Structures are given as C-alpha cells and as structure tokens.
Amino acid sequence: MMNKKWFAGLGISAMLLGSALTGCSSDNGGSEPKDGEKVEVTLAGWGGNPTEEKLLKETLADFEQKHPNIDVKLEVITEQYMDVIKTRLIGGEGPDVFYLDAFEAPGLIKTGAVEPLDEYVTKDFDVDDFEKPLLDAFKEDGKTYGFPKDYSTLALFYNKKMLSDAGVEVPKTWEEFTAASKKLTKGKVAGFGAAPELARVYWMAESKGGKVVTDDKASFASKEVEAGLQPLLDMHNVDKSAVEPKEVGASWGGEMFGQQKAAMVIEGNWAIPYLKDTFPDVEYGTAELPTVDGKNSTMAYDVAYVMNAASEKKKASWELLSYLTGKEGMKTWTSKGYALPARQSVAEELGFDKDELRAPLVAGASYATVWQKGPNMPIIVNNFNNQFMSAFLGKRPLGEALKDAEKQANKEIE
Amino acid sequence: MQRQSRKKMREMGQGYFFMSPSLLVLALFIIGPILYVVFLSFHKVQLLGNGSLEFVGLDNFSRLADDSRAQIALWNTIKYVAIVVPAQTFLALVLAATLNAGLKGQQFFRIVYFLPTLTSSAVLTLIFMWMYNKNGLINSMLEGIGLQGYNFLGDPDIALNAIMIMNIWSTAPFFMVIYLAALQDIPESVYEAAEIDGANWFQKFWKITVPQLRPVTSFVAIMGLIGTFQLFDQSYIFSAGSGGPDNSTLTVVLLIYQYAFKTLGTMGYAAALAFILALVILIATLLQRKFSKEESLY
C-alpha cells in the first residue's frame, strides 16, 4: 500500500519536473562542421527601412546561391541593439556575424568577445581597398576585428524654398551660417534644428583646438572646447535661431526638417531616404558643413561586420562576412545609396561623388573624424549629453556643465 | 517510539517530495538569483568575452559615496516616492468614497476609473508622451486658455513631475478598488449612530471612514512605496534609457540597468546598487509599519 503511494508520488513529481525543464535543453553540442555539410550561420543587425531590408535580403540571397552549403539566418534587433547583443554574447547565444558600430568597438574588442580576422584574410579580399580611417576604427594592437560595411558623414541639409524666400545663400562658413539661421527664423520656423549631443557636436567641440578625450579619459572641460561649443548655445539662447527636436515636438532632426519647422539641419545619409519616403514634397539640398576658422570638419559614423569569437562555424561565418564586405556584396548593398560604400573601388563604380544630394557627404569622408574615441566613450557620451542639454537649454553656464560632466565621467571610468 | 519517529520522518520526506517541484523553481528563479546578486556585489565582474571575476570587498559599496549620478538617482527616487505615494493614496481614498456614496451610474464610473490600471504602463507612457509633446494635447489646451506651454519632455525641471502626474493618475484607481472593497466592510450602524449624534458628512468621513480604513491604508501605502521605489519603465521610455534631460528622470533602477547592461564591466556595482535599493525599501516599509500601528484599531 505504502509503496504504491510512493510510486505515484514519484511519477507525478517526475512528470512535473520534466515539463518544467523541457525548455532548458542545450543545443550547442556540435563542433566545427565538415566541408560539404549544410551549415546555418546567424547574422544579426538592426532594422533599417523596408527598402534597406530588401537590399540586404537580396545580397544574402546572392550569397546563398554562390554558397549552397551555407544558410543565412537573419535576425533583426530593432531596439537597444547593443544591450541585446551584449546580453546574448554573455549567455553564449550570440549570433555568428553581427553589425558593430565603431563607437562601441573598442570596448567590445577589449573583452575578447570579437574574433580577430587577420588569419582569414586572403589576397583577393583586397584590404587596402577600404577607406583607411574607417578600417582603422576596428583595429586594436595591430589586429583587425571587423571590416566596415558602410558609413555616413554629416552634411548640412537646407530647405531650398525657405532659403530663396529669405534671400539667403547656402552658408559656407560658420559666420555665414549663424547669420543665415537668424534670417531664416520666422514665427514657427527656426533657422537651425540642432541635435545637442556629443555624437553630433564633436566636430564643433574640437574645432578650436580642444580635445574631448585624452588617454581614454574625458577632457572636455577646457577653454578651447567651451569656445567651440558656445556659438551653438548662443544660437539657441541669444539669437533664438536654433531649436532642439523636442522643443518643436519632433523626435529628431530629419523629422523637424521634414515638417518644415527648421530651415536647416545637420544630418547624415540616413536622412535622404527618410525624407524621400516620409516628406517627398520638401525640396532640399545638401552642402558640406560650414567651416570653422577656414577649416573643414565633419563626423563619420562607421559600421562593420564582426565575428563572434565564440562562434562554432567560423569558416562559414568568414565566407559570409567576406562576401558582405567584399566588392560584390558591398556593391549590391550600397547600390541604392542608402549607405555609402566603405570600399574606394565600389564608391568609384557607383559614382555617388557625382550624385547631387550625396556628393557633399562623400566629400566629407576625406576630412571626417570617425566617431570613435576609445573604450570609455559610452560613459563619456552619456555624461556629456546629460549636462550639455541643460546648458543648451540655458539652465546653466556651459563651462560649469562641462566641468561637472567631466568630473563624473572620469569618476565612472576609474 | 522508534517506529513513530520513522513514520514522522517518512511523512516529512513525502511532504518535501511533493513540494520539490515548486521548491526547485523557487530556488532556481528567486533564492538563487538573490544569493548571486549578493555574491556579485562584492566582485568586479566582466561577464562578456573571456570574463573575469575579481574579489573587491566593499569597494562597490564605498564607490556609491562619490558617485554623483547615484546620489541624483536616489534623490530623484525619494522625491518621487514622497510625492506619489501620499498623492495616490489620498486620491484613491477620495475616489473610493465618492463612488461608494450611492451616486447614479457609479458602476459605470468604477469601470471607467479602473481602465488606466488595465493598460500596460509602456503603452500609457507612449500615450502620455504624445500628450506631453510640444504640439500635443496638453500644451494645446494650455495655450487655448492663454497659458504658455511647457516642454514636458525636454525640460529638466519638469520631466520628473510629468512622470509623477502620469503615475498618480494610472495607479490611484488600482488602490481605489482595494478601498472600495474595504468600504463595504464598515458597518452601516456606525454611520447611523453618528448621524443621530448630529455629525455632518465631513465628520463622518474623517472620524469614521478614515480610521476604519486604517489597516487598508497601511497596506496601500506599503504597496505604493515598493512600487514607486522601483520606478523604471516610465522613466526609461521617457528618456530613451538615458535618464535625461540632465539626469532629471534618472531613477535608481534605471541606473542599475545602465550599469548592468550599458557600460561594460560594472555588473558588480549594479548588483551592489540593487542590494542597497532592497535595503532602502525594507527600511522604508518597516518605518511605515511602525508608524501606522495597524493592529491598534482592533
């Protein structure tokens, strides 16, 4: 009698346990697959607009056709890309190949989660073809950890109609720019739609000889950086000719520009397809950023494909990575001009330097600063942005805000 | 005697055996993680890539003393708790009392008032962000009556208040339902006796309803305290994860999130912060219990 009860109890508990644990089975038992075997490689990236996604799928389809033994599984991470990637890498469930922004690269490379690619590179791959600054962003101690897929620089977007109505020429220098912005400010329209964050004002911050980062530490609380940034604050607080997106109920510069709440914005390549899709009626042009003291400057935002160091299909992953960043793959991917090709040969072939809207963006590549300054950048940026915003809104003097932000950032870095 | 104790042992074993599935789940998902957080809080941890774990003793805790963002976060959270808990408790009580007074259509209003609680807080936050938008509903209304609008989302002086208003509005109805249930338990005879003694409605409310509801108020306050100390989703969505503008919507839980997942290698510090937050909540709850003396009524 007693035995029977025991048995029943055991049976029920085992069943419950079994059902509770079924979700936990592991599937990463395999090792490097042999040649000729079918392999599935996962590729993760952030989502773009529908056309961009179609282009990527097209590129991947070409690849699968040429490599019948490799299947590519595309995973799109739409929100908080880096948080998701980091967490998945920690959990051992990271994708084999993924996008990595140059800005996040040094930090991630330092942890050893990214595979160095030098030993895979063959002569056909032609490394020298990449724009050097873009490639250097993914180098650490002489090793290359990623190959750039594309990039974008910043350019001045201006509303043609508003400029001609106000009788303003496209500004070439900072002085012309502030004057134009003042003239263009009328009623609900601001002359300049600013983006008060470090990624966008970095070129201004260093325009007077200051350094934002020195030896991986924040060093922006200097007279020179302050002098570089103050003109932007004056546009907002003194001239009242600049606004930030939230002040006019927009979420970013492109939207503000499309809704014609700002006559000029400084944005990148990404704004061109957005404006075409969302605000096709806005007539606009692009120009190189206004020069400060006669010097050209702009930012370059650089994204690469990198390989997961813990991947079990490194050979197949390299096949994919080298195709996507190779001449053929990059040509398909950048053919519509949604992103600028990181290879010189592809850029020449596609001729974006002759495209009316994209020429200023391409021209910027030669003097651009790549948006990446060492492994501590995320901390520095977060602190800078927080304090700079209140200075931009005129809540506190710039020098004081920068000093506080620098102190806090360096404390967090230690 | 021997037989008796063996039987007892066996019964005990059986009991634990039957509980084992839930014990296992508890250990795996609740007790285990708690112990792991305590463990992590004494280490400098890098989970990514090659990984490293280095014992640093109390460094993570002492670091708090000169981390001004952590202090801002704590201050923001305390400010938030101090305003939201009393406000939502009071609002819930008033709503419950009016809906219990026997007005026409009170069933309908009970449902309408309860709706915000049923909506997910992420959705509510997005809706409120539209209303708070510079060209949104609230600013248009303010301009309509000749007032100047606010930049609710971008102005560091206002952003946290905007979240407070939203949260009071959305959680008060939940506590209102608890009050409504409690109001049914107050005997009608007490009110009748008061009426015979010539008490007016305010005296009845203040001298009978409020004291009779005291145990429930204490429950509501404690639940409110715990909930508000853990403010995360609203400020996260409001600031797109940064805690801005100018750290004004930075809360302790948001800071923990940032240290744990955004910056690399600060998981240990995040664990220490989480541990301290748990202590703060525990202390606040104990204080609340001590001051409300809930047993004294009966």
Side-chain angles (χ1 to χ4, degrees), chain A residues 250-329:
Chain A
S251 55
W252 66 291
E255 189 182 347
M256 185 156 61
F257 185 70
Q259 291 172 344
Q260 315 217 14
K261 285 171 180 157
M264 299 185 288
V265 290
I266 291 177
E267 290 290 340
N269 199 52
W270 55 83
I272 295 175
Y274 170 80
L275 289 168
K276 196 176 143 202
D277 292 344
T278 320
F279 302 101
D281 301 332
V282 177
E283 261 190 66
Y284 68 96
T286 57
E288 290 179 58
L289 294 189
T291 56
V292 181
D293 300 337
K295 276 193 303 251
N296 272 316
S297 54
T298 184
M299 302 299 299
Y301 307 96
D302 181 11
V303 179
Y305 282 112
V306 298
M307 198 196 294
N308 181 357
S311 165
E312 279 155 2
K313 302 152 188 163
K314 286 186 179 147
K315 227 174 125 201
S317 300
W318 169 251
E319 291 293 330
L320 174 64
L321 200 153
S322 59
Y323 180 80
L324 289 169
T325 55
K327 288 174 190 168
E328 209 178 330

Side-chain angles (χ1 to χ4, degrees), chain B residues 131-271:
Chain B
M131 302 202 323
Y132 282 140
N133 189 303
K134 197 79 218 276
N135 306 321
L137 181 73
I138 295 177
N139 275 318
S140 312
M141 271 166 38
L142 286 176
E143 268 165 41
I145 54 172
L147 289 170
Q148 147 227 17
Y150 293 103
N151 183 2
F152 288 102
L153 305 171
D155 189 333
D157 297 340
I158 298 173
L160 188 65
N161 301 345
I163 298 180
M164 285 180 189
I165 294 169
M166 177 174 84
N167 235 25
I168 292 169
W169 177 81
S170 67
T171 38
F174 174 69
F175 294 123
M176 173 197 82
V177 173
I178 296 171
Y179 272 128
L180 268 176
L183 281 172
Q184 316 301 321
D185 279 349
I186 302 178
E188 198 53 40
S189 53
V190 186
Y191 288 109
E192 267 172 41
E195 245 165 76
I196 290 165
D197 287 343
N200 62 19
W201 69 267
F202 182 76
Q203 282 169 319
K204 277 196 285 178
F205 176 75
W206 195 244
K207 296 263 161 86
I208 298 171
T209 314
V210 173
Q212 289 279 340
L213 286 178
R214 202 191 256 165
V216 179
T217 307
S218 158
F219 169 77
V220 166
I222 288 175
M223 293 313 285
L225 265 180
I226 296 172
T228 46
F229 262 118
Q230 295 177 351
L231 172 70
F232 170 72
D233 38 4
Q234 287 94 337
S235 57
Y236 179 86
I237 299 171
F238 237 69
S239 65
S242 72
D246 197 10
N247 290 329
S248 63
T249 61
L250 188 69
T251 65
V252 177
V253 184
L254 183 55
L255 191 69
I256 293 172
Y257 172 85
Q258 287 184 354
Y259 278 127
F261 300 113
K262 282 223 182 297
T263 40
L264 290 162
T266 45
M267 186 62 100
Y269 184 46

Side-chain angles (χ1 to χ4, degrees), chain B:
Chain B
M1 196 60 210
Q2 182 71 16
R3 216 184 138 74
Q4 192 70 17
S5 114
R6 270 191 61 184
K7 195 180 170 198
K8 222 173 165 182
M9 281 291 286
R10 186 190 275 167
E11 272 185 5
M12 227 164 75
Q14 245 176 20
Y16 279 110
F17 189 69
F18 280 124
M19 282 193 291
S20 62
S22 44
L23 279 182
L24 191 85
V25 171
L26 275 181
L28 198 63
F29 292 108
I30 296 178
I31 299 164
I34 290 175
L35 294 177
Y36 193 50
V37 163
V38 176
F39 170 78
L40 283 182
S41 64
F42 292 103
H43 291 79
K44 186 172 163 57
V45 198
Q46 171 62 273
L47 293 170
L48 200 57
N50 303 327
S52 67
L53 197 67
E54 181 193 332
F55 183 75
V56 292
L58 290 170
D59 275 11
N60 283 330
F61 293 92
S62 57
R63 184 175 165 180
L64 186 71
D66 56 28
D67 180 352
S68 65
R69 287 188 81 219
Q71 285 151 15
I72 292 170
L74 199 60
W75 172 238
N76 281 342
T77 310
I78 288 172
K79 210 160 53 174
Y80 180 81
V81 172
I83 294 176
V84 172
V85 173
Q88 76 187 13
T89 309
F90 180 72
L91 186 64
L93 182 58
V94 171
L95 283 177
T98 50
L99 286 187
N100 203 42
L103 299 171
K104 233 183 205 173
Q106 65 181 19
Q107 281 300 347
F108 174 72
F109 279 108
R110 278 180 198 180
I111 295 169
V112 170
Y113 285 170
F114 194 60
L115 277 179
T117 309
L118 298 175
T119 318
S120 113
S121 71
V123 175
L124 271 184
T125 311
L126 287 174
I127 295 174
F128 264 76
M129 279 176 76
W130 279 108
M131 302 202 323
Y132 282 140
N133 189 303
K134 197 79 218 276
N135 306 321
L137 181 73
I138 295 177
N139 275 318
S140 312
M141 271 166 38
L142 286 176
E143 268 165 41
I145 54 172
L147 289 170
Q148 147 227 17
Y150 293 103
N151 183 2
F152 288 102
L153 305 171
D155 189 333
D157 297 340
I158 298 173
L160 188 65
N161 301 345
I163 298 180
M164 285 180 189
I165 294 169
M166 177 174 84
N167 235 25
I168 292 169
W169 177 81
S170 67
T171 38
F174 174 69
F175 294 123
M176 173 197 82
V177 173
I178 296 171
Y179 272 128
L180 268 176
L183 281 172
Q184 316 301 321
D185 279 349
I186 302 178
E188 198 53 40
S189 53
V190 186
Y191 288 109
E192 267 172 41
E195 245 165 76
I196 290 165
D197 287 343
N200 62 19
W201 69 267
F202 182 76
Q203 282 169 319
K204 277 196 285 178
F205 176 75
W206 195 244
K207 296 263 161 86
I208 298 171
T209 314
V210 173
Q212 289 279 340
L213 286 178
R214 202 191 256 165
V216 179
T217 307
S218 158
F219 169 77
V220 166
I222 288 175
M223 293 313 285
L225 265 180
I226 296 172
T228 46
F229 262 118
Q230 295 177 351
L231 172 70
F232 170 72
D233 38 4
Q234 287 94 337
S235 57
Y236 179 86
I237 299 171
F238 237 69
S239 65
S242 72
D246 197 10
N247 290 329
S248 63
T249 61
L250 188 69
T251 65
V252 177
V253 184
L254 183 55
L255 191 69
I256 293 172
Y257 172 85
Q258 287 184 354
Y259 278 127
F261 300 113
K262 282 223 182 297
T263 40
L264 290 162
T266 45
M267 186 62 100
Y269 184 46
L273 279 173
F275 190 64
I276 286 171
L277 178 66
L279 281 182
V280 169
I281 295 179
L282 185 70
I283 292 167
T285 312
L286 287 177
L287 282 178
Q288 210 285 331
R289 270 180 72 109
K290 193 164 164 45
F291 284 120
S292 68
K293 297 186 203 101
E294 56 190 278
E295 281 82 19
S296 65
L297 192 70
Y298 299 111

